[in-house]
Amino acid sequence: IVPLLLIRFVHRRRIRDHGWSFEGFSRHIRIYLGLFALMVPVLWWVSTQQEFLDRYPFLRAARTDSGLFLLWEPLYQLQFFALEAFFRGYLLFTLERPFGWNACFIMAVPYCAIHWHKAPLECFAAIFGGVLLGGLALRFRSWYGGAVLHSLVGLSMDGLAHMRAVS
C-alpha cells in the first residue's frame, strides 16, 4: 500500500506506469509458463538437497503437517505477489526513469540481499532471476507474470519438500 501511495502522491504517476497492468497478460503468460517448465527439473533436483529441505516450507510445522501446509501456502503465495509488486513494480519502474534498462541490475542488488540468508545456489539464482524478471517486467510493462512464475516456483519447492518430508 505504501508504494502505491508513493506512486500516486509523491511521484504523481499512474499506478499502471509502475507495472500494475494486465494488458497483454494472456500473451505474456506463455513466456513465464515456459520459464516455469524449464525450472521443474531444477526444482526436482533441488528438492533432494538437504540445505533446501531444511529451509522449506519456511513454516517448520508445515513440513510434515499436511493440514497446516494447506493453510500456510495461500499466505506464502501472497508474499510473492507483494515482493514482485515492490521489486519489479515500484522499485524497478521508479529506477527506470533515470537509469533505463540498467534499473534491472540496480533492483537486483537489494533483491539478492533478501536471499542472502538462504542456500548459496538460491542466493546466486536470485541475481539472475531478478534481472530476468526485471527485464520481462520492463518489456511487458507489467510485473504480474513474474509474480505468477515466482509463486509457482515457491509452491513447487514447498510442495516437493513437503512431499519428501511426509513420505
Side-chain angles (χ1 to χ4, degrees):
I1 292 174
V2 171
L4 292 174
L5 293 172
L6 289 171
I7 292 166
R8 193 74 190 112
F9 298 109
V10 174
H11 302 294
R12 298 187 187 276
R13 296 180 70 194
R14 297 177 308 168
I15 292 170
R16 72 176 287 122
D17 293 338
H18 281 256
W20 289 78
S21 173
F22 279 109
E23 189 174 323
F25 183 78
S26 62
R27 288 188 317 275
H28 307 149
I29 194 64
R30 294 178 192 138
I31 292 168
Y32 294 98
L33 294 176
L35 290 169
F36 176 67
L38 292 173
M39 286 295 301
V40 169
V42 174
L43 291 166
W44 184 264
W45 174 77
V46 163
S47 75
T48 67
Q49 306 303 302
Q50 197 60 46
E51 65 185 339
F52 285 90
L53 294 173
D54 289 343
R55 181 159 306 274
Y56 293 102
F58 283 151
L59 183 62
R60 286 187 189 276
R63 293 176 189 170
T64 55
D65 182 330
S66 295
L68 193 53
F69 178 84
L70 292 173
L71 290 173
W72 162 252
E73 281 306 310
L75 298 173
Y76 184 50
Q77 299 312 304
L78 279 176
Q79 68 87 33
F80 288 117
F81 284 82
L83 276 172
E84 293 297 325
F86 178 74
F87 285 102
R88 258 70 76 186
Y90 177 74
L91 188 58
L92 178 69
F93 285 95
T94 299
L95 292 168
E96 181 192 26
R97 271 192 159 170
F99 299 106
W101 283 83
N102 289 322
C104 295
F105 299 100
I106 299 166
M107 169 275 303
V109 172
Y111 179 68
C112 177
I114 67 168
H115 290 80
W116 197 249
H117 68 286
K118 298 181 179 183
L121 177 63
E122 185 173 357
C123 185
F124 291 117
I127 297 168
F128 175 76
V131 172
L132 176 65
L133 291 179
L136 290 170
L138 288 180
R139 168 69 178 91
F140 299 133
R141 309 308 297 168
S142 174
W143 54 265
Y144 293 140
V148 169
L149 174 59
H150 206 163
S151 180
L152 287 172
V153 168
L155 179 62
S156 298
M157 185 62 229
D158 275 7
L160 288 166
H162 175 73
M163 179 185 73
R164 292 184 191 285
V166 296
S167 60

